[in-house]
């Protein structure tokens, strides 16, 4: 890479701290990092999850609040609190808080150091790590944003006891995705997971450590998604189409449920195109059928699904493009699939899900 190019790329090296003593980790960071002021951004649900937060900026929760108006209010509160480039911003919450808070911090006075403390499994395993920040605009998700990494991310399972089961399952789909990109032993182990059992915090923290490292390594090699980072979109070309279809014609589904169906469909496509082992397709299919309740789509929905896939922002020139696998851990980005191949894969998916 020539020097002109390398200057444009951020290093995404992030300090990842895995602990269930979040307060101690916060105090250690504050003692280690020279700063004049620490402020916290949290939403109305997450502001209660840690000790009484000093200099708290509270925002509303949910996708509707992930807006320009909220960013503006956060900047105003930072201004009033006296935040400078020498300050620290802590983002405490799910992906909405870490995306929006990260954007507000990264752009305030051209950049204030920020630290993410994700409180959901989905946030911990995906949104809080890797430097994608932003907010929704003109009805489009994450339309405005920038690549800007949190300097540190404190990853903990201690907030998960009170998460609704759908939230846990939603995040777990991304954990499975990371295992599919890296390690068959871990993939099989995850498929033994029992969502009805109480959380084993030590084990889950270890699963998170492995999972987040997969993402962090890929992001380090390709921070701005010019190539390899597209691997992290495994399951998402088809998953986003399910998410949009559910939103328009059925009951909305959690993001990770749509990703879980996307993972099975893309595993089937991987089998068709690259010989991905059918045994692993079946194991994944059974786990998803048992844990991720589907909505009853049928072949009458295929045209809309195909249309959504070809308009996905990851696709080019109206072609459907996904990341596929030759085997677990052997991923191939920018794979074009035909409408016939997708139609076959959707038929097989419906068999797996019993639809
Ligand atoms: N969520 C995928 C990525 O951060 O690239």
């Amino acid at each position: 890479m020539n020097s002109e190019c390398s200057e444009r790329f951020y290093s995404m090296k992030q300090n990842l701290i895995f602990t269930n003593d979040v307060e101690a980790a916060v105090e250690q960071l504050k003692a280690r990092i020279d700063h004049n002021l620490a402020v916290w951004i949290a939403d109305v649900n997450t502001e209660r999850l840690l000790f009484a937060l000093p200099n708290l900026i509270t925002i509303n929760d949910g996708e509707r609040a992930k807006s320009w108006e909220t960013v503006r209010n956060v900047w105003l509160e930072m201004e009033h609190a006296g935040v400078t480039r020498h300050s620290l911003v802590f983002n405490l919450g799910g992906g909405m808080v870490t995306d929006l808070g990260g954007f507000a911090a990264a752009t305030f006075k051209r950049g204030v150091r920020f630290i993410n403390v994700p409180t959901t499994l989905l946030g911990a395993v995906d949104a809080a790590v890797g430097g994608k920040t932003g907010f929704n605009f003109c009805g489009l998700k994450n339309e405005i944003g920038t690549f800007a990494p949190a300097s540190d991310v404190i990853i903990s399972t201690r907030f998960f006891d009170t998460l609704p089961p759908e939230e846990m399952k939603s995040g777990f789909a991304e954990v499975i995705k990371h295992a599919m990109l890296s390690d068959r032993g871990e993939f099989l182990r995850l498929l033994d997971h029992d969502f009805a059992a109480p959380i084993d915090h030590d084990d889950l923290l270890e699963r998170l450590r492995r999972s987040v490292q997969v993402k962090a390594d890929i992001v380090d090699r390709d921070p701005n998604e010019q190539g390899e980072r597209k691997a992290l979109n495994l399951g998402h070309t088809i998953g986003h189409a399910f998410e949009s279809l559910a939103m328009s014609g059925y009951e909305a589904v959690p993001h990770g449920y749509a990703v879980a169906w996307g993972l099975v469909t893309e595993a089937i496509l991987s089998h068709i195109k690259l010989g991905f082992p059918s045994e692993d397709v079946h194991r994944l299919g059974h786990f998803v059928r048992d844990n991720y309740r589907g909505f009853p789509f049928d072949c009458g929905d295929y045209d809309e699904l195909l249309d959504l896939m070809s308009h996905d922002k990851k696709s080019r020139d109206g072609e459907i493009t996904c990341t596929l696998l030759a085997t677990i851990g052997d991923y191939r980005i920018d794979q074009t699939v035909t409408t016939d191949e997708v139609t076959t894969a959707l038929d097989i998916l419906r068999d797996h899900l019993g639809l």
Side-chain angles (χ1 to χ4, degrees):
M1 187 181 287
N2 65 35
S3 60
E4 197 190 330
C5 274
S6 57
E7 275 174 25
R8 287 195 293 119
F9 289 89
Y10 292 97
S11 165
M12 284 287 174
K13 282 274 179 217
Q14 294 183 298
N15 180 32
L16 305 175
I17 302 161
F18 295 84
T19 180
N20 278 328
D21 191 349
V22 179
E23 284 87 349
V26 168
E27 291 312 322
Q28 279 165 18
L29 282 176
K30 284 168 68 178
R32 181 167 63 72
I33 304 167
D34 186 27
H35 66 285
N36 64 350
L37 173 73
V39 299
W40 287 79
I41 302 175
D43 71 31
V44 288
N45 300 313
T46 59
E47 64 181 9
R48 290 181 291 270
L49 291 177
L50 272 188
F51 46 61
L53 301 175
N55 306 313
L56 173 64
I57 299 172
T58 305
I59 60 179
N60 284 327
D61 64 340
E63 281 298 309
R64 284 166 67 92
K66 196 176 178 183
S67 66
W68 160 244
E69 289 74 21
T70 308
V71 174
R72 184 178 171 279
N73 287 338
V74 170
W75 282 332
L76 279 174
E77 292 207 37
M78 285 179 170
E79 201 69 62
H80 292 147
V83 171
T84 72
R85 271 205 209 158
H86 194 48
S87 304
L88 285 181
V89 173
F90 285 87
N91 295 314
L92 176 71
M96 182 271 185
V97 173
T98 56
D99 279 9
L100 185 143
F103 178 84
T107 48
F108 190 78
K109 295 188 193 282
R110 296 210 178 91
V112 179
R113 182 172 182 155
F114 67 96
I115 294 162
N116 285 339
V117 188
T119 56
T120 63
L121 179 54
L122 191 57
V125 80
D126 194 14
V129 177
K132 286 186 179 173
T133 70
F135 60 92
N136 304 335
F137 190 66
C138 281
L140 298 168
K141 272 190 82 162
N142 303 325
E143 181 69 352
I144 310 290
T146 180
F147 286 102
S151 62
D152 309 82
V153 187
I154 302 174
I155 295 173
S156 163
T157 63
R158 68 170 253 194
F159 306 112
F160 300 169
D161 284 321
T162 50
L163 280 184
E166 288 75 26
E167 271 282 339
M168 282 302 284
K169 290 183 185 180
S170 195
F172 205 80
E174 300 282 353
V175 180
I176 293 174
K177 177 193 82 178
H178 288 158
M180 291 176 76
L181 294 172
S182 62
D183 180 345
R184 186 164 187 269
E186 186 67 6
F187 169 71
L188 296 178
R189 182 179 184 136
L190 293 173
L191 297 189
D192 276 339
H193 188 77
D194 177 4
F195 288 106
I199 293 176
D200 175 341
H201 286 273
D202 289 342
D203 181 66
L204 188 56
L205 200 58
E206 179 54 26
R207 307 272 73 73
L208 271 180
R209 188 193 304 273
R210 287 167 182 253
S211 189
V212 173
Q213 200 58 53
V214 174
K215 174 164 185 178
D217 288 345
I218 291 176
V219 169
D220 247 9
R221 292 191 290 269
D222 178 22
N224 288 9
E225 203 167 301
Q226 302 298 301
E228 188 185 354
R229 185 167 180 167
K230 294 181 198 168
L232 295 171
N233 294 327
L234 182 71
H236 283 66
T237 300
I238 311 248
H240 281 155
F242 282 129
E243 207 172 358
S244 302
L245 178 73
M247 231 176 308
S248 64
Y250 296 92
E251 197 184 324
V253 290
H255 172 72
Y257 281 50
V259 170
W261 305 332
L263 286 173
V264 181
T265 318
E266 293 184 17
I268 297 164
L269 285 167
S270 298
H271 175 71
I272 295 170
K273 304 232 9 139
L274 300 173
F276 181 78
S278 54
E279 182 194 345
D280 288 343
V281 177
H282 285 288
R283 285 174 191 260
L284 178 66
H286 289 153
F287 184 77
V288 171
R289 181 199 61 205
D290 293 346
N291 291 290
Y292 294 85
R293 179 183 51 80
F295 60 92
F297 75 97
D298 60 29
C299 45
D301 294 311
Y302 285 10
D303 281 348
E304 189 173 348
L305 281 170
L306 287 163
D307 195 51
L308 287 162
M309 288 169 207
S310 58
H311 287 96
D312 189 278
K313 58 177 178 252
K314 295 178 287 305
S315 294
R316 285 176 310 196
D317 307 324
E319 290 185 322
I320 302 172
T321 318
C322 345
T323 295
L324 297 179
L325 299 169
T327 56
I328 297 280
D330 183 0
Y331 46 85
R332 312 282 167 90
I333 60 169
D334 291 334
Q335 299 292 303
T336 302
V337 290
T338 65
T339 52
D340 281 353
E341 287 164 342
V342 176
T343 300
T344 305
L346 290 172
D347 283 341
I348 300 172
L349 173 77
R350 284 174 49 224
D351 276 351
H352 276 292
L353 297 182
L355 297 177

